[in-house]
Amino acid sequence: MTSEPALAAPPAARAARPARRRGGVVAFHVLAVAALLLSVAATATLGAADVSLVNVRDILLNHLGLADVPVRVSEDAIVWQDRVPRSLVAAACGAGLGLCGLVMQSLLRNPLADPFVLGISSGASTGAVAVAILGLGTGLGLSAGAFVGAVAAFAFTLVLSRLTRSGSTGTLLAGVAATHLFSALTSLVVFAFADSDETRGVMFWLLGSLEGIRWPDVVLTASVVAVGAVVVLAHARRLDAFAFGEDVAASLGVPVARVRAVLLLLTALVTATLVSVAGTVGFVGLVLPHVARLVVGPGHTRTVPATIVLGALSMVWIDALSRVAFSPTPLPVGVGTALVGVPVFVVLLVRRRRVP
């Protein structure tokens, strides 16, 4: 006597599952974006000068042309010229670094890959410091210098990785070497050529600093991250194919060399721009892609926007807490990301080990 497959779901139920899953992912992104907007407003109330959330709302509505509410000139300047741009740049940094980490982990098939670990952040710091202190590259801004340094550091990582022929492990070790090399070069430039005031400012910036952020910084970082997000989303399906290896991706019709070159150069550009504005910020690109995959699954059409939103949301609050934790002296935001990122990453590692 054969048993009926009573536990098998009917076709209609099986067809409904992907729809429910998609609906849950969409709801998550909507709620996350709403939380991000509320967080930008809420963090604008935090600081040495108290500003109520109602006043923040009125100031934002006034500048957006949606209201004309009388507010104090001092509060308007604090919120609109200082705190809101800072929160928006923090959001852009979190989104961009998380996106870069996701791309690198997917291309290199290594869960430990991120711009900080693979030397891109250190190279960008070296390029920016060379422009600021040595005056190299006449006419170059910090962003251009940081981009040159980021590309140089990543090229060094790739060449060393190719020479060792050790796969993703070799790439990771080459990145560690690049990180230490370019960090040493940065320290050498600062030690040999910077005066005491420059040294203090550069060292604070290298730890990650969002002090003195203004609206042009918002435009620059948001524009670069937006372009990066569009390009990565356009390559989402191809990144899915990379999960099975480059040979499989090529057999599926993916132009492996071109996709890898485009996305890695994009990663260098985004990282360099963010480093030139905010300094070196670690662990965001390493941790956030793992959190996003845990929440929405591995598909890049879902993971890319989730990583962007979660990265932005986390950085807004990490920067806000770093700003007020030791007020009136702000804690470097890079220190804050490490203090938060390391425990989260440890939890993710332990959880991954327990999952069969």
Side-chain angles (χ1 to χ4, degrees):
M1 181 177 179
T2 59
S3 59
E4 293 293 332
L7 297 179
R14 291 198 299 270
R17 286 173 187 168
R20 287 198 299 269
R21 204 173 297 122
R22 286 193 297 270
V25 171
V26 171
F28 164 77
H29 285 109
V30 171
L31 291 175
V33 171
L36 176 61
L37 296 176
L38 290 174
S39 296
V40 170
T43 55
T45 67
L46 303 177
D50 291 331
V51 182
S52 69
L53 187 58
V54 173
N55 286 351
V56 170
R57 180 203 64 191
D58 293 339
I59 291 169
L60 293 178
L61 291 177
N62 286 349
H63 283 277
L64 293 175
L66 301 176
D68 188 14
V69 182
V71 294
R72 292 180 179 178
V73 174
S74 58
E75 290 187 349
D76 182 271
I78 291 172
V79 171
W80 187 252
Q81 298 298 334
D82 181 31
R83 295 181 184 175
V84 170
R86 177 170 179 151
S87 292
L88 292 176
V89 169
C93 288
L97 292 175
L99 180 67
C100 291
L102 176 62
V103 170
M104 300 189 76
Q105 289 171 15
S106 300
L107 290 179
L108 301 177
R109 300 179 66 201
N110 192 316
L112 297 179
D114 88 321
F116 186 80
V117 173
L118 293 183
I120 296 179
S121 295
S122 296
S125 298
T126 302
V129 167
V131 170
I133 294 179
L134 299 180
L136 297 180
T138 304
L140 286 179
L142 284 180
S143 296
F147 178 67
V148 173
V151 172
F154 195 58
F156 175 87
T157 299
L158 292 181
V159 170
L160 186 57
S161 175
R162 292 289 183 184
L163 291 175
T164 60
R165 298 181 181 178
S166 303
S168 61
T169 301
T171 302
L172 190 65
L173 294 176
V176 172
T179 297
H180 286 285
L181 172 62
F182 282 88
S183 294
L185 291 175
T186 301
S187 300
L188 176 64
V189 170
V190 173
F191 178 80
F193 300 102
D195 57 33
S196 58
D197 291 336
E198 286 178 327
T199 300
R200 187 163 44 249
V202 167
M203 296 310 296
F204 189 83
W205 173 77
L206 288 176
L207 292 173
S209 174
L210 293 174
E211 295 297 309
I213 293 295
R214 294 295 180 261
W215 281 104
D217 300 314
V218 177
V219 175
L220 174 63
T221 55
S223 299
V224 170
V225 172
V227 170
V230 170
V231 174
V232 174
L233 280 172
H235 289 81
R237 297 295 184 187
R238 292 173 174 177
L239 284 174
D240 288 340
F242 271 87
F244 302 100
E246 293 185 358
D247 292 338
V248 175
S251 69
L252 294 174
V254 176
V256 171
R258 188 179 69 191
V259 170
R260 185 172 58 233
V262 168
L263 292 181
L264 290 180
L265 283 175
L266 176 72
T267 298
L269 172 62
V270 173
T271 302
T273 302
L274 298 179
V275 168
S276 69
V277 173
T280 305
V281 178
F283 284 98
V284 177
L286 178 63
V287 174
L288 266 300
H290 295 286
V291 177
R293 293 189 194 99
L294 186 65
V295 174
V296 300
H300 285 83
T301 54
R302 301 188 300 270
T303 310
V304 169
T307 301
I308 290 172
V309 176
L310 289 175
L313 187 60
S314 62
M315 270 295 291
V316 166
W317 281 107
I318 289 173
D319 172 60
L321 295 177
S322 299
R323 190 170 70 234
V324 301
F326 296 94
S327 182
T329 301
L331 181 72
V333 69
V335 177
T337 57
L339 291 175
V340 175
V342 172
V344 172
F345 191 61
V346 170
V347 171
L348 291 172
L349 285 177
V350 172
R351 183 185 182 279
R352 182 178 180 181
R353 182 180 178 183
R354 291 177 178 175
V355 175

